[in-house]
Structure formats: structure tokens, C-alpha cells
Amino acid sequence: MTDYTTIDFSPLVAASADEVVTHSLVSDVRLPSGRTIALITLHNGKDHTRPNTLGPATLSELGEKLDALKARAAAGEIDAVAVTGKPYIFAAGADLSGVGDLPSKDVARLIAQLGHHTLGKLSKLGVPSFSFVNGLALGGAVEIALNSTYRTVDSSAAAIALPEVFLGLVPGWGGVTLLPNLIGIENALEVIVSNPLKQNRTLKPQQAFDLGMFDAIFGPASYLEDSLRWADGVLAGTIKVERRNEPGRIERLTKWPIAIKVARNMLESRIGTVPRSPYLALDLMDKARNVDVGKSGSVEEGFAREDEALAELIAGDQFVASMYAFDLVQKRAKRPVGAPDKELAKKVTKVGVIGAGLMASQFALLFVRRLQVPVLITDIDQARVDKGLSYIRDEISALEAKGRIDGDEANRLRALVHGTVDKSEYADCDFVIEAVFEETGVKQQVFREIEQIIAPDAILATNTSSLSVEEIGSVLEHPERLVGFHFFNPVAVMPLIEIVRTPQSSDEALSTAFVVAKNLRKNAVLTADAPGFVVNRLLAKVMGEAARAVDEGTPLLTVEKAFAPLGLPMTPFQLIDLVGWKVAAHVQDTMVRHFPERFYASENLHRAAEVGDVVEKDKNGRVTGWTKQAQKAMTVGKSPATEDQILRLVEDGLASEIRLMLDEGVVPEVEDIDLCLILGAGWPFIDGGASPYLDRSGASERATGGTFHTPPLRGAAHR
């Protein structure tokens, strides 16, 4: 066990001189019974747009206030202590700004220890402690509640979550020790591991209450009054707190180890073994089954384990990379580099989608849901149009069935979508996007025809994934109205749109595209009109090297395993199978046509595209081998490569290509490439995108003679 009272926290406080302190404002509240509860209100002096955070100075002040309240409790002046937040905000978790710059693992450990030292006081006041979670509560804020004796939550709180694993950390202020012992191991695994790895999913207050994270839930109209009245009943013994999900002896002996094992196997199949934080969280939760919350020594042993785990992670490379990625997504993505003034954007009151296939129908559904304007789809015959309309209406019905929209909205959305073969109806569209076959001539033909119909100031957009937007627009009378507007599949889920600027593209067209992307709730990145733009150019490098290795005789599973250190959400042939073998072959051919000396096109991809099922998969979607039909169709050599050789080729190839893209001005800075890969290819946060990973692996130096970041983004343990 650790005696936190003997630790000198001054190095940590000194390293956080710029902290916006969340103060602990204490007031006494007389309860109806006559008892007195000391109410601590967390408030940083800002409004709800600047949430409370928990930095070293904040924790130190809270600790001092809790010490004073403990003395008052011993003197009989107060009967309980409660913690709540400013309006709409309990707290947004730990203040992580600057944490990645801490000088050593020992100083990193102080973050965990200070959290335990401070929040642990909530269980040692000599009187019961309450947390009244009145709004947003993330990370350390939830751990304030977990360290308290009792908890209530406002039913209108924006979100409840422990997102640490998403950022390469673990809930290290009591979360992984206390939560499983409060709500059971399976529920805790959902909150601590599963939700963060599902694009940082959060809980609604009712969900958190149903899981057992809170003892009571009240509406916002009189939340604080109701919580105080409830606390008075608990203190009086008239309200009995029952925790139905609290684990018993049988769960600890049988269900707990099984649940951990199942979770570990699931993680290995879905994310591989590269990420550290999920597995450390599992290890800590596994050991937490032996914690007896009624015995402080047992709990403190769990806290000591959390201290070491958090110190290791904070000082490691994955956390620093995660924070870099987090800043890209939270800041850079919100202010796209190179986007023209939004005041130049044309107001979009009607959208036209050329095509009615699956991709076009996904576009139409997204536009009508997000923009709430009329959307027109057309195709070469009515049967295709009807099929597209049927898909859109079925998807709207599915949203209604799931309760995500009500009946009135479902009817309104259906009424806004119209399909026809009469292209004259594009005349009053302000924004028209094509989703036709990926061939320059086909796209030129539809745009040449549509331009004669639409208004002179209407904006045209192409969803091409690799073709030249300038070449597509060369047949237009007004090519300045055309922009690239490249979605990623699945359209509803993937958050990135690459907006492509040609030498002719007007600022009005680009501004309109950026405003439309924002209204679609997508993140947009401006790119030059270069082959493959950003994401597909780099994925083509990855897929090309995978195909080359197979063609030369490397076993399929050796190739798949070679890419594991990259931590990508899919192996190369999983990805190829998802996008389609014909599409993958076309993309590779396109890249080779432009850069024959650097990209690889495989005849085997074309051969595979002609058979039915190409690869066999297990129940988790992992590729396990070729089908017999694919084996018969392919021709392979007899020069297999090792996993290390393949990985080195891929790493060096990516580093070289990224340097060339920067030199060519495809995007202004390497941060934009990393942002595109994170949002458009699912590149893991723990890598920070590609460039920090390539710096760490040595590929940047090998391939380009320097690193993309100076100094490279490394944790304190590796500097």
C-alpha cells in the first residue's frame, strides 16, 4: 500500500502552471431533517462552454477542502459532504494538457497518486459522502462519484463515460478497481473497455443508472433539491439503497474470470495485441475481483496497481500519440486548413444526386437527414430509381423502428426524397453530386448533360475516389463550379470528406462544399487534385505491397500478420474484400498509371474479381485463407517474404509517399495527412496517424533522411 500523505506533489503542480483551476466552493445546506450537508460546487469560473477539468491545482484545492470538512465532521458540525458541478457540467475529467510532456515516468506516476490521494478522501471523511452528478461527467469526474459513498445523476446530463482506454490510458483514479465491484464485471467491461473502443461511445444518464453506476436519478427541473432530499432520507435511514448489480461471491469465483477471458479473446480478434491500454485495463479488472470494498487496505492495493499502470501508460508512446490524434480530431478538424470564408457559401435548398445505386442512395439518405431539404435522385431507368427509393425509405423506417426518429419526422423525410428519370428536375438544385461508375468518361458525360439544365450558380461535386477532378471538369463550360467531394464507406458512419480543389475551383464552390460537409456533420479536409488524394493514395500503397507479397509467393496469412504492428482496424485483404476486388484492382491500376515506379498493380486482383467468394473468414471476419476458386484463378511465384520484410517495405513506402505528398502540396502539413488517415481509414489513435508511427519505427529516417516531427512524438520513457 502507498502512503500518499508522504509524497511530494510539487513537481507535478509546477509542471501545470497554466492550468485553468476548477475551484471547490463550499456552502452548508440545512436539510429538512435539520441535518447539515456541506455542498462542494466545482466551478472554474467559466460558462458551460468551458467545462470543469481536474488538474493538479484543482485536485490540491479539493483535497484541502476535504481535509477541512473532515475536521468539521469530527467536531459534529456537519453530517455529510456532497460534490456537484456548475450548471450543466459536473466535470470533463482530468486536465490532460501538457501531460504528454512530463519529464519522467516518476512524475507521470504522481498524476495517478494525486488523484488517489484526493478522491480517496471522499471515503474517509467520517461521514457519508455524496456525488450529485448534475451534468457532463467524464473520466475523473465519474471517479469522484465512484469514490463517494452514494451517487445521484441528473436525467438530462449530456454524457457519462470513462473514455480513458480510447486515449491510451486506464481509469486510474479508482475506476478499474471500484466500478466492477459496484456494477459487476460484465457491465464494467462495457463501460471501461467496449464503449471507448466503439468510437468513444458514451452513456446516457438512464443507461448509467440502469447499470447501477448511480443510486438515484432525478429530472433537471429540481435536480439539486431532489438529490438533497434523497440524501436526507438516506442519512435518516428511511431510504434504503439497494445495488442489484453489485457482484456476489459466485460471480467473483465463476463469471468474473470467464468474462475477462472472453473479453481478452474478443480484443485480440478485433484490435490485435498492439494497444496497451485495453489489456492493462483487463489485467487490473481481473485483479479487482479480489478487492473487498469494505476493507480499505484491499482497495488501496488496487489503487497502487492503478498508479503503476497509469504511470507506464502516461510515459509511453501510445498515450502521446493518442493525445496528438485527439487534438487533430478535436481542434484541427473543426477549423479546416485552407477553407474559404463560409460567408461565400451558396445556400443549399435542394440537392441533386446523379445515380440511384447503393452509394447514391446512401448519399441521398444522409443529405435528407442532415440538411432537411428536398433531395432528387435519377438513373437511366425507372426500375433503378425505384430500387434506390425503396432502399432510402426502408432505412428511414429502420430509424423509426429503433426510436431514433419519430413517425412525423420519418414521414417528412420520405416526402423530401424524390426519384425520377426526368433530369430536367435538376433545374432548381443548388448542389448536385454524382455517384456513377468510376470512369472519367462516364462522369464527364453526366456532368456535360447536367450543366445544360442546372442554374448558372449551382455547385457540382464528384465523389471520385482517385480520378482527376480537373480532367472530369474539363468538359464543363464552367469548371470553376466543380469540386471533389469524396465520401468514405459506409457513408453514414465514416466522418471524413476529402474536398478536392482544382486550379479552376472557385472559392464560392469550395466554401459551399465545406459548409455542406459541416451540416452533414462530417469533418472536411482540403486536398489538391492529386491521384488518390490522401487516404486512397496511402491505402493503395498498403494494398499494393500486400498484393505484391502474395504474387511473389508469400502465404496469405503471413501477409495478413505482417501488418499487425500498424494496428489498422482491418488487415489488407479484409479491406480489399470489403471495398470489392474489382474496385481495389481499379484503384491500384489508377495509381500505377500515374506513378508506375512507386505503386504496384496485381493481375491477381483482377483474376480474383472474376470469381465469387475470394477469401474464407472466421466468425469474427478475420481472413483465414483463399477459397478454392481463388486459388485456381491466381498465379503466384516462389519468392516468399517474411513478415519483417513486408512490414519494412510498407513502412518505408508510406514514409516516402507522405514526404512526396507534402513536397507536392497535396495538403499543407503532415497533420492533415494524419487527420485524413484517422478519420477516413480508421488509423488508430495509439499510432497518432501514420507519421508519428513512422518516426518511431525508424522508417522516416530510412526513407526520407529525417523525421516528420521534430522532436519525434515519444513518451517520457523513450525520450
Side-chain angles (χ1 to χ4, degrees), residues 338-361:
D341 189 335
K342 63 182 179 182
E343 298 302 321
L344 297 173
K346 176 179 174 58
K347 185 176 181 181
V348 174
T349 59
K350 182 179 178 181
V351 172
V353 180
I354 305 174
L358 180 59
M359 184 66 82
S361 300

Side-chain angles (χ1 to χ4, degrees), residues 675-697:
L675 180 61
C676 284
L677 290 172
I678 291 164
L679 297 178
W683 213 280
F685 264 49
I686 60 165
D687 277 353
S691 70
Y693 168 84
L694 295 170
D695 284 351
R696 292 193 304 271
S697 71

Side-chain angles (χ1 to χ4, degrees), residues 323-587:
M323 290 307 298
Y324 166 77
F326 186 74
D327 281 345
L328 291 181
V329 171
Q330 293 298 313
K331 297 176 182 178
R332 195 176 186 91
K334 303 294 190 292
R335 297 184 291 274
V337 176
D341 189 335
K342 63 182 179 182
E343 298 302 321
L344 297 173
K346 176 179 174 58
K347 185 176 181 181
V348 174
T349 59
K350 182 179 178 181
V351 172
V353 180
I354 305 174
L358 180 59
M359 184 66 82
S361 300
Q362 290 183 64
F363 291 171
L365 178 63
L366 182 66
F367 278 109
V368 76
R369 282 196 68 201
R370 299 296 187 222
L371 303 189
Q372 302 274 315
V373 299
V375 175
L376 170 70
I377 63 171
T378 65
D379 215 310
I380 57 176
D381 59 56
Q382 191 62 43
R384 297 187 189 202
V385 172
D386 290 343
K387 184 177 180 181
L389 288 173
S390 177
Y391 169 85
I392 295 166
R393 289 165 181 161
D394 287 348
E395 289 296 304
I396 292 172
S397 296
L399 291 170
E400 182 183 4
K402 293 175 183 176
R404 295 177 61 182
I405 58 175
D406 60 27
D408 289 342
E409 184 176 1
N411 290 332
R412 184 170 64 254
L413 293 179
R414 291 188 193 98
L416 285 172
V417 181
H418 174 57
T420 181
V421 294
D422 181 6
K423 294 183 176 62
S424 67
E425 293 192 31
Y426 282 109
D428 58 346
C429 289
D430 308 295
F431 187 91
V432 179
I433 184 169
E434 63 78 19
V436 299
F437 186 69
E438 185 74 351
E439 187 175 288
T440 300
V442 175
K443 295 179 187 293
Q444 287 177 329
Q445 180 182 340
V446 298
F447 276 140
R448 188 188 289 114
E449 181 181 1
I450 292 299
E451 189 180 30
Q452 305 308 310
I453 299 169
I454 59 175
D457 61 345
I459 307 302
L460 292 172
T462 172
N463 181 54
T464 181
S465 60
S466 59
L467 301 175
S468 168
V469 178
E470 183 178 14
E471 186 179 355
I472 292 170
S474 64
V475 300
L476 296 174
E477 294 178 16
H478 296 284
E480 70 276 3
R481 68 166 75 188
L482 177 66
V483 297
F485 204 74
H486 179 220
F487 285 92
F488 291 81
N489 209 10
V491 171
V493 176
M494 297 302 287
L496 178 68
I497 293 176
E498 290 176 326
I499 293 180
V500 184
R501 179 177 205 153
T502 73
Q504 293 78 33
S505 297
S506 69
D507 282 350
E508 181 187 39
L510 288 165
S511 178
T512 303
F514 274 99
V515 170
V516 168
K518 183 177 181 181
N519 291 337
L520 292 175
R521 302 180 196 172
K522 301 292 186 181
N523 297 119
V525 174
L526 183 66
T527 85
D529 186 20
F533 315 127
V534 174
V535 175
N536 281 348
R537 180 163 170 177
L538 294 174
L539 287 182
K541 175 63 72 173
V542 171
M543 292 190 290
E545 292 304 330
R548 186 201 305 272
V550 166
D551 289 357
E552 291 175 350
T554 309
L556 174 61
L557 294 187
T558 299
V559 178
E560 294 285 86
K561 292 175 183 176
F563 289 80
L566 294 176
L568 294 174
M570 290 187 181
T571 60
F573 288 101
Q574 268 185 300
L575 179 61
I576 290 171
D577 198 57
L578 175 69
V579 302
W581 295 82
K582 194 169 287 187
V583 172
H586 176 76
V587 170

Side-chain angles (χ1 to χ4, degrees), residues 259-277:
I260 293 290
K261 182 178 180 180
V262 169
R264 192 179 303 278
N265 291 338
M266 189 73 71
L267 284 178
E268 289 177 358
S269 67
R270 290 184 177 177
I271 66 171
T273 57
V274 175
R276 289 286 297 132
S277 61

Side-chain angles (χ1 to χ4, degrees), residues 185-186 248-262 286 289:
I185 186 60
E186 292 179 334
R249 183 171 177 272
I250 299 300
E251 176 173 340
R252 293 176 188 279
L253 289 174
T254 58
K255 184 187 291 186
W256 201 300
I258 293 172
I260 293 290
K261 182 178 180 180
V262 169
D286 188 23
R289 70 189 171 110

